[in-house]
Amino acid sequence: MKSNDPPTSGAGVAGAEPEWMSIGAVAERFGLATHVLRHWEASGLLTPARDPAGRRRYGSADLVRVAVVLRAKEAGLSLDTIRSLAAASDPAERRETLRTEADALRARIAAAQASLALIEGALDCDHEDFTQCAHFRQVLGEHIGADTQLSFP
């Protein structure tokens, strides 16, 4: 059997799951559209085997890779970052990529926390128009800069 040939089916074993799955079965298993799997393949993230008719055949290693890609996407990683992590053979290179991603995530979290604080402040404000609130105006002043004269409507 060539390396790109799909493994044989385990259908002959009672209760055994097939050793390979079609693109539709994999998509259904993970709740994805088939075009997503095709895109990941075109991006170099997946390399399913092909049967003699050219149909994709996904084995257990492919299922693990799909799960890894999904989890990495849930963590906020881009497909480019996931691909570079998968392609990196040097652990130090992978760690550096992950450090960069962690720093970016911390920055996004800080921005989201600042946004939440601003919104909660506006919700807690006793003014009918929260733009009249001293705290809100202070936050705006910090963003505009101390050297700028503020003129509020």
Side-chain angles (χ1 to χ4, degrees), residues 13 18 20 26 37-38 40-41 44 46-47 51-52 57 59 66-67 77-78 87-88 115 125 141 148 152:
V13 179
W20 58 266
V26 173
L37 296 172
R38 287 186 195 97
W40 291 357
E41 182 181 354
L46 297 174
T47 54
D51 68 9
R57 295 296 181 220
V66 170
L77 301 180
S78 69
S115 296
C125 180
T148 304
F152 291 96

Side-chain angles (χ1 to χ4, degrees), residues 58-70:
Y58 294 83
S60 61
D62 297 307
L63 298 181
V64 169
R65 178 58 72 98
V66 170
V68 167
V69 171
L70 284 171

